[in-house]
Amino acid sequence: MIDKADLRTFIREYCDERNEQVISNIKDFQKILNEIRETEDYEKLKEALLKTHSGKNILRFHAKTTEDLKNLWEKFIKEVLETPPEKLLEDIDERFKRWKQIKGAGKGLISEVLAFYYPEYFAPWNNVVEWYFTEFGWGKPEKYSEVLKHLGELRDIFKEECRDKPINFIVVDYFGWWLKNKQEENKIPQSSQENKREHKLPSLARYFEYTGYYYPPHLVAQFYTALKTKGFVILSGLTGTGKTKIAQELAELLDPSKENFIFLSVRPDWRDSKPLLGYYNPLLTDQYQKTPLLDLLLRATHDYKENGKNAMPYFVLLDEMNLAHVEYYFADFLSVLESGRDENGFTRESIKLHDVEKVEEEQGIPKEIKLPPNLYIIGTVNMDETTYSFSPKVLDRAFTVEFHDVELKGYPPETAEQESSELPETLRREILNDLREENGKFLARSKEEINKAVKELKRTKYWNALENLNQALEPYDLHFGYRVVDEIALFFKKARESQEGGIVEFKDEDEIFDLALLMKVLPKFHGNRRKLEKPLLVVLKMAKEGGLKGDEAEKGTDELWKDILGEDALKKLVERIIEELGKTGDYKYRHTARKVLRMLRQLYEIGFASFS
C-alpha cells in the first residue's frame, strides 16, 4: 500500500505534467452537448461520446441508430444539462440507479458524462477507481456517492500540493492511470502482488491466448456469461476442443493455489449421490465417509458466511458427466439448484447428508447442507455409444455450450510464446468483482431482479421475436416455460454488464440473443424427422430474418424451405444445407443457424437428430 508521504510526492510530480488533450476533450465535450441542446441534432452525440473512454463501446453495441441516441439524450443527458450539479448531488445514487435502466447507460458512461460536463463535482467510475479502492484499502465501491467521497479526499490533497494548478475530478482520475502505469513498470511497490507485474488484457479470450489456448472470443464470452448467469453449465461437443481446459484455466486464473477448484472424473457405476457427497457407515467405522467434493462445499459455505462480499468463487468440474445417468447421481443437486435462494443467498432447500448427532458433533459434518451462491458447477460431455443422453429435466436446468467449430487458421495463438507465467492481476480482480456482483451476492438473485431483467428485455426488439418463436413451437410441444425466458433475459443482461467491463467480447447484441437462443431453446430438440423437421425450419427462418411473421405454422416444409433458400431450395437438399453452412454470416442469428442446419442435415441423412 502506498503511504501518504509517497502519495503526496507522486502528486507533486504529476502536477508538473499537463495533458492538453484531456483539457481539450472536456471543452469539446461540453461544447458539443450545448450545441445539441440548441439544435436537437442527436447525430452529433456520437462525436461527443467518442471523447469519453466508454463511448466507443456504447456506439458499437448500444447506440447504433439516431433513435437510440435520442433516447439516451432525452432520458439521461438532457437531465444532466438542465439540473444544477448541486441538485444532482442531493440524490445522485437514486438518479444513478434510474439512469442505469436506460439502454446503453452503464456506470462508465453515466459517470463520464457527469464528470466531463461537471468536472468539479463528479468523477468517472472506471477501472482505475476500482484500483484506487483496492490500493488504499477502501473496500469495493457499491454506490457512486462512495466513489465521490473517497476521490474527493484525494482531490483535497491535490489542492494542497498543486496550489497553482486547476484541480478537478478528471485530474484525479488521470493521476490514477498515471500512477497505476508507474506501478506496472515496477517503479513503485505494489500493495498486493509485490513480486508480480500486472498485465492489461483486453478480455478473458485474450488471457487464454496468453496461456496458449485458442478459443473464438464468442465461445469464451458464451461460457463465462452462462456461468455467471446460472452457475451450472454443460460443455458438449468434439473431443479435444478444450472443454475441460477452459474451466481449469478460469479457476486457476481466479485462484492460483487451486484450492477452490475440484476435478471429478465421473464413473459409469455411479448410481446415487454417495460418490459425490459421501455417506454414513454405521457398521465398519461408525463415521461419515467424506469426499473431496463435500470438503469443497463446506469450505465454500464457510468462506461465504465469514467473508460475504469478499468471498471467493468455488468451481466443481464433472468430467465426462454423462458416463453415468446424471439424473441418478446428481438428482439432489438438480432439485436444490431450482429451489430458489433464501435471504442469505443459499439455496432454499438443502441436501440431506445424515441424521446422526455424533457425526455432527465430532466430525463437524452438518446433517444437511444448502448450496452457497459462490459455487459454480461445470460438466463436460461427449456423445458416443458409451455415454447416456440428457433428459429435458437436466438440459432445462443448465446452460449448454457446444464446442464444435475448429478454426485451425488461428491455431496456435500467436501470443502463446509471450510471457504468460505471471498472474494478470487486473483481469483477475475485474472477474472477481464481476462474479461477486453488487453486495457480493454472486448467484443469489431475487425474483424481483429476475423480473427486472425480463422487463428490460421486453423493451428490446428481441422480446417480440422470442414471443413469436414460442407460439410457433407450441403446436409441436417444443415451446419453453418461464424459467427459460428468465434465463435468456438474465443472460442478456449479464452479457452486457460483463462486456461493458471489458471481460468478454460479443460482436453485438444480436449475437448475445443468438447465443441465448442456442443454449436455452435448441437443447430440447430431440427426435425423428416427423417430429423435428418443421419446428427446426421455423427456428432456421427466424435465425435468418431475425423474427417470425406468425403464419409459419400454416406453411408446409417445402414452402418454409423456399422462404429460406429460394425457389430451387428442394433440389439436392442435403447438398444445399452443406452449402448454406458456409453462408451463415448472412443470417441474423448465425450461431443458431449453424446448429439448426447441422441438425437438419442429420435429420435428412439418418432420420433422427438431437442437440448433443
Side-chain angles (χ1 to χ4, degrees):
M1 183 176 291
I2 302 172
D3 63 35
K4 291 185 177 180
D6 287 338
L7 176 64
R8 288 179 178 272
T9 300
F10 291 124
I11 287 175
R12 287 193 294 272
E13 180 182 349
Y14 183 75
C15 286
D16 295 331
E17 298 196 9
R18 186 172 177 83
N19 194 326
E20 296 293 341
Q21 184 62 47
V22 174
I23 297 172
S24 175
N25 280 347
I26 293 174
K27 290 181 177 179
D28 290 345
F29 181 85
Q30 295 169 343
K31 180 181 178 182
I32 295 168
L33 291 194
N34 289 329
E35 289 176 358
I36 297 172
R37 180 162 55 176
E38 296 296 325
T39 64
E40 296 186 354
D41 181 5
Y42 303 113
E43 280 296 311
K44 289 186 70 68
L45 190 54
K46 292 180 180 178
E47 186 180 347
L49 293 179
L50 288 174
K51 303 290 182 182
T52 68
H53 178 72
S54 58
K56 291 180 181 178
N57 279 337
I58 300 302
L59 293 173
R60 180 183 176 189
F61 297 109
H62 304 296
K64 296 182 178 180
T65 66
T66 303
E67 192 62 31
D68 291 335
L69 294 167
K70 181 180 179 181
N71 182 62
L72 203 57
W73 175 270
E74 293 290 344
K75 294 184 177 180
F76 164 47
I77 300 176
K78 183 179 179 181
E79 181 180 345
V80 172
L81 268 64
E82 294 181 349
T83 309
E86 298 86 352
K87 185 70 175 176
L88 290 172
L89 281 170
E90 290 176 4
D91 57 347
I92 189 61
D93 289 329
E94 287 74 18
R95 291 178 188 264
F96 208 92
K97 186 177 181 181
R98 171 164 52 82
W99 289 331
K100 284 183 70 177
Q101 309 308 310
I102 302 167
K103 180 182 178 183
K107 69 179 183 183
L109 179 70
I110 293 171
S111 60
E112 284 190 284
V113 168
L114 288 165
F116 272 57
Y117 200 77
Y118 296 122
E120 302 291 336
Y121 295 86
F122 298 101
W125 187 353
N126 49 32
N127 293 343
V128 82
V129 170
E130 307 285 348
W131 177 82
Y132 268 138
F133 271 66
T134 300
E135 192 66 25
F136 296 114
W138 294 337
K140 182 178 182 294
E142 303 291 350
K143 297 179 180 179
Y144 188 47
S145 57
E146 295 176 31
V147 173
L148 297 179
K149 175 179 178 293
H150 286 292
L151 294 192
E153 295 168 359
L154 276 180
R155 182 192 55 186
D156 292 340
I157 298 176
F158 263 84
K159 289 181 176 179
E160 293 173 9
E161 299 297 334
C162 310
R163 296 180 184 276
D164 59 339
K165 304 283 185 180
I167 301 299
N168 56 43
F169 278 110
I170 301 296
V171 173
V172 176
D173 177 64
Y174 274 79
F175 169 74
W177 292 108
W178 177 83
L179 185 61
K180 194 166 179 282
N181 287 333
K182 288 178 73 71
Q183 189 181 78
E184 290 170 353
E185 294 167 4
N186 290 326
K187 293 181 180 178
I188 58 175
Q190 293 197 39
S191 63
S192 57
Q193 292 288 336
E194 294 184 359
N195 298 319
K196 296 182 182 292
R197 180 164 57 89
E198 281 187 357
H199 290 263
K200 286 185 180 179
L201 302 177
S203 71
L204 184 56
R206 188 68 171 167
Y207 167 75
F208 287 134
E209 288 189 10
Y210 269 73
T211 56
Y213 299 98
Y214 176 73
Y215 300 98
H218 81 267
L219 187 64
V220 177
Q222 181 184 7
F223 162 68
Y224 173 81
T225 309
L227 195 64
K228 176 187 174 184
T229 302
K230 180 72 175 180
F232 177 29
V233 176
I234 295 173
L235 309 180
S236 68
L238 294 174
T239 59
T241 48
K243 298 188 295 293
T244 300
K245 268 297 172 185
I246 196 172
Q248 290 176 322
E249 290 295 325
L250 175 62
E252 187 173 344
L253 167 65
L254 300 182
D255 176 32
S257 72
K258 302 180 184 180
E259 292 181 358
N260 300 345
F261 171 77
I262 186 169
F263 177 95
L264 296 173
S265 296
V266 175
R267 292 171 53 91
D269 59 351
W270 286 9
R271 295 290 184 267
D272 54 34
S273 63
K274 291 186 181 68
L276 292 177
L277 298 171
Y279 59 94
Y280 171 62
N281 189 337
L283 300 178
L284 298 179
T285 62
D286 194 29
Q287 288 189 329
Y288 193 93
Q289 306 299 312
K290 290 201 299 183
T291 65
L293 176 57
L294 180 58
D295 283 335
L296 181 121
L297 292 179
L298 294 174
R299 289 202 308 274
T301 299
H302 177 76
D303 187 5
Y304 188 73
K305 286 181 176 178
E306 291 295 315
N307 298 310
K309 66 181 183 181
N310 294 317
M312 293 292 292
Y314 290 73
F315 298 91
V316 178
L317 177 60
L318 295 168
D319 198 45
E320 303 278 7
M321 74 178 298
N322 62 331
L323 279 177
H325 279 293
V326 178
E327 296 83 351
Y328 293 171
Y329 72 85
F330 206 60
D332 292 338
F333 285 85
L334 292 174
S335 296
V336 302
L337 283 172
E338 296 305 324
S339 66
R341 300 280 175 171
D342 62 23
E343 64 277 6
N344 297 316
F346 291 83
T347 54
R348 292 186 181 277
E349 300 300 325
S350 59
I351 297 176
K352 307 300 184 285
L353 299 178
H354 63 86
D355 57 0
V356 184
E357 296 286 347
K358 178 182 176 182
V359 169
E360 189 168 30
E361 294 172 1
E362 296 183 4
Q363 291 185 258
I365 300 174
K367 293 180 180 179
E368 57 187 30
I369 186 170
K370 293 183 175 183
L371 300 183
N374 56 334
L375 178 70
Y376 298 84
I377 300 171
I378 305 161
T380 67
V381 303
N382 291 303
M383 298 304 297
D384 56 40
E385 64 278 1
T386 67
T387 61
Y388 297 93
S389 60
F390 288 115
S391 69
K393 172 184 176 180
V394 176
L395 294 174
D396 196 44
R397 284 163 168 74
F399 272 87
T400 305
V401 180
E402 186 181 33
F403 287 58
H404 180 274
D405 298 330
V406 178
E407 300 176 11
L408 295 180
K409 184 178 180 180
Y411 182 81
E414 293 181 4
T415 53
E417 296 180 3
Q418 299 183 28
E419 294 179 88
S420 59
S421 60
E422 300 177 7
L423 179 67
E425 187 67 20
T426 301
L427 182 61
R428 174 180 179 271
R429 283 200 305 264
E430 291 199 7
I431 292 177
L432 286 175
N433 289 335
D434 193 51
L435 290 177
R436 287 166 176 159
E437 298 195 4
E438 295 179 11
N439 301 318
K441 60 186 177 181
F442 290 93
L443 294 167
R445 300 188 181 98
S446 65
K447 185 59 179 172
E448 180 183 1
E449 181 180 353
I450 295 171
N451 288 343
K452 182 179 175 182
V454 174
K455 289 176 182 177
E456 288 178 6
L457 186 65
K458 273 190 168 184
R459 292 194 289 268
T460 70
K461 62 182 179 181
Y462 306 108
W463 181 260
N464 187 53
L466 192 65
E467 192 172 22
N468 289 341
L469 177 63
N470 205 31
Q471 291 174 358
L473 294 178
E474 187 173 2
Y476 313 100
D477 292 329
L478 289 170
H479 57 302
F480 38 89
Y482 299 113
R483 176 163 54 212
V484 169
V485 175
D486 288 348
E487 291 177 359
I488 288 175
L490 271 176
F491 180 87
F492 192 81
K493 177 182 175 67
K494 300 305 175 185
R496 292 167 65 181
E497 291 174 357
S498 297
Q499 176 158 280
E500 186 177 324
I503 296 171
V504 297
E505 304 168 73
F506 293 96
K507 182 180 178 182
D508 50 29
E509 289 187 348
D510 283 350
E511 184 168 60
I512 296 174
F513 184 69
D514 179 10
L515 292 170
L517 285 180
L518 176 64
M519 292 186 289
K520 296 308 301 180
V521 175
L522 284 182
K524 66 187 299 183
F525 281 57
H526 178 94
N528 57 32
R529 178 171 177 175
R530 185 174 182 179
K531 176 184 178 182
L532 295 185
E533 184 177 21
K534 191 169 177 180
L536 280 174
L537 286 172
V538 168
V539 178
L540 184 61
K541 186 180 180 185
M542 176 184 168
K544 184 163 190 174
E545 299 176 0
L548 296 171
K549 298 177 181 177
D551 61 348
E552 287 76 15
E554 301 170 5
K555 295 183 177 182
T557 56
D558 289 357
E559 194 175 356
L560 286 170
W561 268 124
K562 290 178 181 178
D563 286 348
I564 298 167
L565 299 183
E567 287 299 321
D568 62 342
L570 301 179
K571 297 178 181 179
K572 298 182 179 180
L573 191 52
V574 174
E575 287 83 352
R576 286 297 307 275
I577 291 173
I578 295 172
E579 180 184 334
E580 197 70 9
L581 278 166
K583 301 178 180 179
T584 51
D586 299 330
Y587 281 65
K588 190 76 169 177
Y589 306 131
R590 62 189 179 93
H591 301 294
T592 299
R594 286 183 65 81
K595 182 60 181 177
V596 171
L597 286 167
R598 292 200 302 269
M599 291 176 72
L600 283 165
R601 185 187 66 185
Q602 186 182 25
L603 203 64
Y604 292 136
E605 289 177 342
I606 65 175
F608 182 90
S610 67
F611 182 85
S612 302

